């Protein structure tokens, strides 16, 4: 997922449910209907779609989608977490 503001993206990814992209079935790849594209135009290659709260249950989200989501959240968390302060000796 492309993200201009990591903190905003982190909030966005953790404030609503995410599951497999319905256009590419979670693969992230473009289909035959877009022969000049490499990545899915709906999810930009992430394989994830946002769902409305209550619109999807955890049981309906594939394990791979949960893993991809956790990877994005971990990457963004590392970007927005303040660096530890060095202690002078």
């Amino acid at each position: 997922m492309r993200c201009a503001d990591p903190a905003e993206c982190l909030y966005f990814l953790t404030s609503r449910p995410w599951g497999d992209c319905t256009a590419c079935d979670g693969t992230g790849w473009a289909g035959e209907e877009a022969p000049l594209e490499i990545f899915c135009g709906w999810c930009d290659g992430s394989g994830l779609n946002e769902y409305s709260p209550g619109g999807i249950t955890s049981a309906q989200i594939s394990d791979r989608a949960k893993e991809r989501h956790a990877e994005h959240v971990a990457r963004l968390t590392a970007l927005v977490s303040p660096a530890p302060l060095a202690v002078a000796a």
Side-chain angles (χ1 to χ4, degrees), residues 24 27-31 34-41 44-45:
C24 66
T27 66
W29 299 107
L36 300 177
E37 299 296 322
I38 296 173
F39 299 109
C40 174
D44 291 327

Side-chain angles (χ1 to χ4, degrees), residues 55-69:
I56 192 169
T57 66
S58 183
Q60 293 172 297
I61 302 171
S62 75
D63 289 340
R64 184 63 190 129
K66 291 175 185 175
E67 290 169 7
R68 283 192 308 273
H69 181 262

